[in-house]
Amino acid sequence: MRRTSLHIYSTEHLPADERDAIDRLIADASRNAGGRLIVQHLDLLIEPYQFGFFVHTGLVEDDPERPESVSPELWEILRAAAAASAAWVLFDRDEPVTSGLPVF
């Protein structure tokens, strides 16, 4: 058995361009045979959520170098979550901002 946690952050902690790009990917996503949206990001595994989206932390565990398709701000959040054994980060539009993190 593996234990994990979920870290929840405001979408305000992501640069506006990156946030908008992810929202566009979700809006343009096609559905698979089971009806699930398949979000096509170059490097990240993203799952839509009613008030934002989930991002899987596996990339930072697999690759110590930040890919150019991921902002330094998102990369640091994913690294911190992965270091705390979180498999997913939820970026929620209704979540209050977290002290100490940049806000965009």
Side-chain angles (χ1 to χ4, degrees), residues 8-14 19 77 90-98 103:
I8 304 171
Y9 293 93
S10 170
T11 54
E12 294 296 312
H13 293 301
L14 299 177
R19 204 172 47 232
I77 289 171
L90 170 58
F91 289 95
D92 189 325
R93 290 177 187 90
D94 295 333
E95 183 70 17
V97 296
T98 301
V103 175

Side-chain angles (χ1 to χ4, degrees), residues 42-101:
L42 291 174
D43 296 296
L44 298 173
L45 177 58
I46 298 171
E47 292 291 337
Y49 169 68
Q50 183 177 6
F51 302 108
F53 46 86
F54 292 89
V55 179
H56 197 271
T57 62
L59 176 64
V60 299
E61 295 171 353
D62 295 341
D63 191 350
E65 296 294 320
R66 178 183 62 85
E68 288 190 28
S69 67
V70 178
S71 71
E73 294 82 10
L74 175 53
W75 188 252
E76 286 306 312
I77 289 171
L78 293 174
R79 283 186 56 208
S85 299
W88 291 93
V89 175
L90 170 58
F91 289 95
D92 189 325
R93 290 177 187 90
D94 295 333
E95 183 70 17
V97 296
T98 301
S99 155
L101 291 177

